[in-house]
């Protein structure tokens, strides 16, 4: 094996192990064919190789993670349902808690920051609840709505934690932590909505 | 790799195809080819505007195999390229239907572009 082949074998490690096991040898053969063809243009050849690896390996790695974590639609559907139910419960909790906090801190004790915290908390909780309903219905925009709700919820409760430290610790921790988990899950499952066509 | 039940799916359910995927399928319409031959055919078909890298090519082939659009053929040497054994790939019947469906979809897009005078009128 020459230096160029060894270098390409190192680059091939960027691809998932199963993909490499199936196509690695063929990719090396094609690499050698292409190298012979472009002998005089070494720099251009390697730039092309690096660009190709950078373009294709991350997508294949993500696909591999998806296949491992929930390749079967049924499992994926079940996890999505669990995530939606959790979002619904946490959304409801946030709305109720924010109403109580807003009322006690804002209306009873005349705290402007508490009132504001309660108001934005209600909105964030309601958004989380709405995204959960969309996920359960499997509407095409569910993924986008869930992502927006998660980002809003995260930003709101992070803001509340900084401005209003007296806000319920559990509600604040859930408001910050759950959106992160939800965003990670959506990224892994690649939710594009139930009716999206299968891009190949 | 598990092949999905093709009877349950219409070719249109896989559309739109990515440009690279469509070119790979077009390269396989005339018969089975190995990886490097697919690359060369795509380059020729697109007059050099599309140059597939190995990662892009085999990433697409993996998805096409999983979708039952392409199947593996024999593994044998290409006399023009030496003694190394190469895996050949070919379209399935479903794959041919998918390629036709994508071509029809693109034809409709081109027709609309002509109607809107974005491209030249068809020479008859």
């Amino acid at each position: 094996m020459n230096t160029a082949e060894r270098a390409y074998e190192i680059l091939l490690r960027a691809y998932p192990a199963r993909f490499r096991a199936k196509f690695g040898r063929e990719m090396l053969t094609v690499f050698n064919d292409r190298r012979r063809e472009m002998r005089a243009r070494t720099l251009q050849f390697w730039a092309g190789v690096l660009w190709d690896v950078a373009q294709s390996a991350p997508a294949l790695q993500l696909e591999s993670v998806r296949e491992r974590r929930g390749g079967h639609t049924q499992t994926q559907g079940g996890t999505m349902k669990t995530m939606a139910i959790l979002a619904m419960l946490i959304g409801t909790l946030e709305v109720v808690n924010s109403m109580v906090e807003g009322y006690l801190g804002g209306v009873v004790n005349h705290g402007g920051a508490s009132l504001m915290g309660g108001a934005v908390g209600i909105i964030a909780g309601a958004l989380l609840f709405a995204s959960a309903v969309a996920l359960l219905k499997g509407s095409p925009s569910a993924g986008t709505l869930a992502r927006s709700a998660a980002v809003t919820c995260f930003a709101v409760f992070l803001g509340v934690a900084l401005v209003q430290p007296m806000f319920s610790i559990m509600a604040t921790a859930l408001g910050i932590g759950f959106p992160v988990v939800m965003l990670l899950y959506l990224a892994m499952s690649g939710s594009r909505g139930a009716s999206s066509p299968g891009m190949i | 790799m598990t092949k999905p039940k093709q009877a349950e799916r219409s070719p249109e359910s896989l559309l739109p195809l990515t440009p690279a995927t469509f070119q790979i399928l077009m390269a396989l319409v005339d018969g089975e080819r190995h990886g490097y031959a697919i690359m060369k055919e795509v380059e020729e078909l697109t007059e050099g505007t599309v140059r597939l890298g190995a990662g892009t090519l085999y990433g697409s082939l993996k998805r096409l195999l999983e979708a039952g659009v392409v199947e593996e053929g024999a593994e044998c040497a290409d006399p023009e390229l030496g003694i190394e054994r190469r895996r050949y790939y070919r379209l399935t019947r479903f794959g041919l239907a998918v390629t036709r469906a994508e071509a029809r979809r693109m034809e409709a897009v081109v027709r609309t572009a002509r109607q809107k005078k974005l491209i030249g009128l068809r020479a008859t």
Side-chain angles (χ1 to χ4, degrees):
Chain A
M1 190 177 278
N2 59 40
T3 316
E5 283 178 336
R6 270 198 292 273
Y8 190 61
E9 278 222 325
I10 292 169
L11 287 176
L12 281 179
R13 287 182 202 161
Y15 293 96
R18 276 182 67 187
F19 178 80
R20 236 167 36 226
K22 175 134 183 75
F23 299 108
R25 188 186 59 82
E26 289 178 61
M27 287 172 78
L28 193 62
T29 306
V30 165
F31 166 83
N32 280 324
D33 292 332
R34 189 64 105 184
R35 197 161 58 94
R36 272 193 295 273
E37 176 196 328
M38 294 182 71
R39 213 170 8 206
R41 294 166 285 170
T42 314
L43 201 67
Q44 191 189 345
F45 168 72
W46 279 105
V49 168
L50 288 174
W51 175 245
D52 177 53
V53 174
Q55 247 188 333
S56 56
L60 287 161
Q61 284 288 3
L62 200 63
E63 275 173 38
S64 167
V65 171
R66 278 181 203 153
E67 280 165 15
R68 278 204 306 271
R69 289 184 187 247
H72 301 289
T73 319
Q74 223 174 358
T75 319
Q76 210 165 11
T79 322
M80 183 67 88
K81 209 170 182 176
T82 310
M83 191 56 69
I85 290 167
L86 270 175
M88 200 173 259
L89 288 172
I90 293 170
T92 309
L93 176 91
E94 296 296 2
V95 169
V96 172
N97 184 71
S98 299
M99 282 167 84
V100 173
E101 294 274 358
Y103 177 75
L104 293 178
V107 180
V108 177
N109 294 324
H110 306 290
S114 290
L115 195 63
M116 179 64 87
V120 289
I122 291 169
I123 294 169
L127 253 176
L128 215 53
F129 188 91
S131 72
V133 173
L135 282 174
L136 282 175
K137 280 186 176 172
S139 64
S141 58
T144 315
L145 182 61
R147 267 183 281 271
S148 312
V151 170
T152 308
C153 199
F154 177 82
V156 161
F157 283 99
L158 191 66
V160 166
L162 294 172
V163 177
Q164 189 62 18
M166 295 304 284
F167 215 82
S168 159
I169 293 171
M170 198 181 94
T172 310
L174 273 176
I176 295 171
F178 181 70
V180 174
V181 175
M182 195 161 155
L183 284 170
L184 283 174
Y185 173 73
L186 290 168
M188 297 284 203
S189 65
S191 73
R192 294 185 298 167
S195 61
S196 301
M199 282 282 276
I200 52 170
Chain B
M1 282 176 211
T2 51
K3 277 187 187 176
K5 289 173 190 163
Q6 290 162 16
E8 290 173 6
R9 294 184 308 158
S10 70
E12 285 77 15
S13 69
L14 294 180
L15 307 189
L17 302 177
T18 62
T21 301
F22 183 58
Q23 293 301 339
I24 291 168
L25 297 183
M26 291 280 277
L28 292 172
V29 164
D30 299 326
E32 60 176 29
R33 289 179 200 275
H34 55 73
Y36 186 60
I38 295 174
M39 277 181 167
K40 297 302 292 174
E41 178 71 8
V42 168
E43 258 183 69
E44 211 176 296
L45 287 173
T46 61
E47 293 168 348
T49 55
V50 178
R51 286 175 77 93
L52 296 174
T56 308
L57 171 68
Y58 284 99
S60 301
L61 282 174
K62 171 191 169 278
R63 293 177 200 114
L64 291 167
L65 285 164
E66 285 170 352
V69 173
V70 161
E71 61 188 2
E72 290 176 7
E75 194 173 320
C76 54
D78 181 340
E80 284 179 24
L81 292 167
I83 54 162
E84 197 148 12
R85 289 167 73 82
R86 291 159 192 273
R87 169 74 60 197
Y88 282 68
Y89 297 90
R90 59 172 173 249
L91 281 181
T92 60
R93 282 177 65 182
F94 178 64
L96 187 60
V98 170
T99 315
R100 280 206 178 103
E102 177 68 350
R104 276 197 298 271
R105 189 189 68 81
M106 292 176 86
E107 188 183 34
V109 172
V110 171
R111 206 181 308 129
T112 309
R114 280 212 175 94
Q115 279 166 6
K116 292 189 177 288
K117 297 191 173 27
L118 290 170
I119 51 177
L121 293 169
R122 192 202 302 259
T124 49

